[in-house]
Amino acid sequence: MSAAVFEQIFATPSEVVAALRRVRGCGKVPKRARSNRSAAALTGIKEKMDNFDKALNSIMDFLAIESVQSASCPSSPFGKGVGEVLDKFASLAKSMGFTVHNEGGYYVTADIGSGKPFAILGHLDTVPLGEGWDYSPLGEIAGGTVYGRGILDDKGPLLLCLYAAAQLVSEGYVPCRRIRFFAGGNEESGWKCAERYSQLDKWPEEGFSPDADFPVIACEKGVLHVRLTLPLPGRVISIRGGGRVNVVMDMCRAVCDTPVHAKDVTCVPCDGGYAVTALGRPAHGSTPWLGDNAARKVLSALGEISPAAGELSKALCAIDGSGIDCALSDKESGALTCNLGVLSSDKNNLYAELDIRYPVTFTAEEIVRRISGKLSCPVEITGEHLPHSVDVDSPLVRGLLGAYNDVTGRADAPLTVGGATYARVAPGLVAFGPCFPGDEPTIHQRNERADIASLRKIYDIYLLALKRLCFKKREMC
């Protein structure tokens, strides 16, 4: 886009310079320097914005809300930020003509149309922002890319779906299904929002969750979160690392009574002993191979002075589960994965929290039995989702897959993943987008991001899928 076009869009020379820097990747955008016109400029829209551009501007506003679970407050049991973002979604959907219900800060539903129910299930809470970002984790556009916690998981995709449905209505299409949007507030920290809904209402039997990968996910592995109680290794005074079990640990720190000399860690004197610290690289707990677990480095280093610590590194940090006698796989869904997400300790014990994604032909009970047999320790189940699968020849899967392939020009087939999405809440639901095959994974990582061209394509896919599955022309009613 030429500078002359920018001058028609922006009011002052300083705005022109700032916009050119954003497009050319020459500088960062201050968090509060964005205007509603910046997204339009970046996508080439001069005056009238279509719903994608409106969606992009709303996404930036939603990213600016830090919606990580915190202490309960009057607006939400999951904290002020979650309550704020749910209220904002409710207000937005109501302004578009949806019938809205806010269930006490647990979740928001937004309905439109009549007929057989169709669900679009997403969430507006996020994992913690984390440190080390190159751009603001609360939303920043730079070089044609949107950065921010939740741009892919899951604020961005949910809002793109909402705006796509609204655009179809504005174009004269009529919903032939009762479309229900579900915006959860606790997906990342326990699914209590979904549990609440299950207590109060029946889930639609068909629909999708825009909270995973394209082309369409028809099978999700079982998810098992466990907490192990183990003896604290000798010469180790304390150990702590990680904040969420479903995130690869990016920092771990132990205190021991003697120095260690190992690579990948630092060791400095501290009150009570010597602090051994390692940094890692975060990743989603369902894809631990994409991260670098700091706990593995610390436990391995402690193995120099405490053989028990070295053995724990081998047992707890093997991402294929071999260290806990769980190197399992099946033809239907592939291999088990294991992520050591949280470590803590007290005077006598070490507590390890594992995120295990297991093949669909196995059971949680078998996994627990194998772990306790291998490590001879108590195993507490702290979270669980059963495996989930949908017939790949169902009209829903065929319809979603067709929309994806038509927009992208590909001929892809349905997938199986280890991720856990809201699709699990009812037998006929699937996960659908937003991540494309081959894209660099950034969900749950520093610099979570999506380029604007990809967001546009995601929007077009959801627009076509909803048009085919849930709408018809007014004159056909």
Side-chain angles (χ1 to χ4, degrees):
M1 185 179 293
S2 69
V5 174
F6 273 94
E7 288 168 0
Q8 296 176 40
I9 300 172
F10 292 90
T12 67
S14 62
E15 286 184 298
V16 175
V17 171
L20 286 170
R21 283 179 174 170
R22 286 194 292 271
V23 173
R24 294 172 183 167
C26 299
K28 299 179 183 179
V29 185
K31 187 174 72 176
R32 293 300 175 188
R34 298 187 306 267
S35 74
N36 283 346
R37 289 172 291 179
S38 63
L42 286 163
T43 50
I45 304 299
K46 176 178 165 184
E47 293 181 1
K48 182 179 179 181
M49 296 190 298
D50 70 5
N51 266 15
F52 170 73
D53 301 280
K54 296 175 184 177
L56 185 53
N57 287 317
S58 282
I59 288 169
M60 299 307 294
D61 291 339
F62 276 72
L63 293 179
I65 301 172
E66 185 174 351
S67 51
V68 179
Q69 180 171 326
S70 59
S72 177
C73 69
S75 64
S76 173
F78 312 124
K80 180 180 177 181
V82 173
E84 181 181 352
V85 79
L86 289 175
D87 286 343
K88 190 173 186 68
F89 184 86
S91 177
L92 175 64
K94 186 176 181 180
S95 73
M96 293 175 167
F98 289 79
T99 301
V100 173
H101 172 69
N102 186 332
E103 180 53 40
Y106 278 83
Y107 61 82
V108 169
T109 58
D111 296 357
I112 196 167
S114 60
K116 183 179 179 182
F118 187 95
I120 301 172
L121 298 88
H123 64 93
L124 297 172
D125 64 313
T126 73
V127 296
L129 304 182
E131 299 179 353
W133 286 63
D134 297 314
Y135 301 93
S136 172
L138 294 176
E140 185 171 338
I141 297 173
T145 296
V146 181
Y147 294 82
R149 181 64 79 215
I151 181 60
L152 291 173
D153 184 21
D154 185 38
K155 295 177 180 179
L158 184 60
L159 288 167
L160 290 175
C161 289
L162 184 72
Y163 273 91
Q167 179 170 322
L168 289 168
V169 172
S170 71
E171 292 177 351
Y173 291 90
V174 178
C176 55
R177 308 285 295 268
R178 182 170 67 86
I179 303 170
R180 166 158 289 184
F181 280 84
F182 173 90
N186 184 236
E187 194 270 353
E188 298 288 6
S189 305
W191 286 40
K192 295 187 185 300
C193 50
E195 291 177 9
R196 177 79 165 198
Y197 184 96
S198 296
Q199 295 167 358
L200 300 174
D201 208 340
K202 180 181 179 181
W203 293 101
E205 296 179 356
E206 192 173 48
F208 66 85
S209 176
D211 189 24
D213 300 313
F214 286 125
V216 62
I217 294 170
C219 182
E220 299 182 14
K221 296 177 184 178
V223 180
L224 183 64
H225 292 169
V226 296
R227 187 172 191 255
L228 314 183
T229 301
L230 298 152
L232 188 66
R235 313 201 72 169
V236 178
I237 298 169
S238 66
I239 189 167
R240 182 168 300 277
R244 295 284 179 90
V245 68
N246 63 343
V247 180
V248 175
M249 201 182 305
D250 65 350
M251 186 175 75
C252 185
R253 181 180 185 270
V255 177
C256 52
D257 64 4
T258 190
V260 299
H261 307 283
K263 64 178 183 178
D264 297 331
V265 301
T266 62
C267 182
V268 296
C270 68
D271 291 341
Y274 295 85
V276 180
T277 305
L279 300 178
R281 183 177 68 253
H284 196 288
S286 66
T287 54
W289 61 90
L290 297 176
D292 183 19
N293 202 313
R296 174 185 57 79
K297 300 174 184 180
V298 169
L299 290 172
S300 295
L302 294 174
E304 290 187 359
I305 60 170
S306 175
E311 291 302 312
L312 283 178
S313 176
K314 297 175 184 178
L316 301 178
C317 298
I319 64 173
D320 64 353
S322 57
I324 52 174
D325 192 29
C326 289
L328 309 173
S329 65
D330 63 21
K331 179 180 178 181
E332 292 79 4
S333 57
L336 177 145
T337 64
C338 179
N339 174 59
L340 172 57
V342 181
L343 275 180
S344 60
S345 66
D346 57 25
K347 184 176 181 180
N348 299 309
N349 296 317
L350 178 148
Y351 304 99
E353 297 182 40
L354 304 179
D355 178 359
I356 298 169
R357 312 293 170 119
Y358 62 91
V360 298
T361 57
F362 293 87
T363 66
E365 292 75 17
E366 181 173 358
I367 304 299
V368 170
R369 185 169 62 252
R370 285 173 173 269
I371 297 172
S372 59
K374 178 69 173 180
L375 301 182
S376 301
C377 70
V379 180
E380 175 191 1
I381 296 177
T382 58
E384 181 182 2
H385 296 299
L386 297 176
H388 175 76
S389 62
V390 174
D391 183 1
V392 296
D393 291 321
S394 68
L396 174 66
V397 173
R398 291 202 312 268
L400 296 175
L401 187 62
Y404 166 82
N405 283 332
D406 286 348
V407 171
T408 62
R410 299 172 65 98
D412 290 340
L415 302 175
T416 295
V417 298
T421 74
Y422 283 142
R424 296 170 185 260
V425 301
L429 307 181
V430 299
F432 184 51
C435 298
F436 290 105
D439 280 0
E440 179 185 357
T442 61
I443 289 174
H444 288 199
Q445 300 185 35
R446 305 181 189 101
N447 296 323
E448 181 180 342
R449 62 192 178 273
D451 63 76
I452 292 174
S454 291
L455 292 172
R456 172 87 238 190
K457 188 180 294 184
I458 293 166
Y459 181 80
D460 290 342
I461 292 169
Y462 289 143
L463 187 71
L464 182 58
L466 289 174
K467 179 180 176 180
R468 289 178 175 177
L469 291 171
C470 298
F471 285 84
K472 58 186 176 182
K473 268 294 189 182
R474 189 177 304 278
E475 58 266 21
M476 298 173 62
C477 294

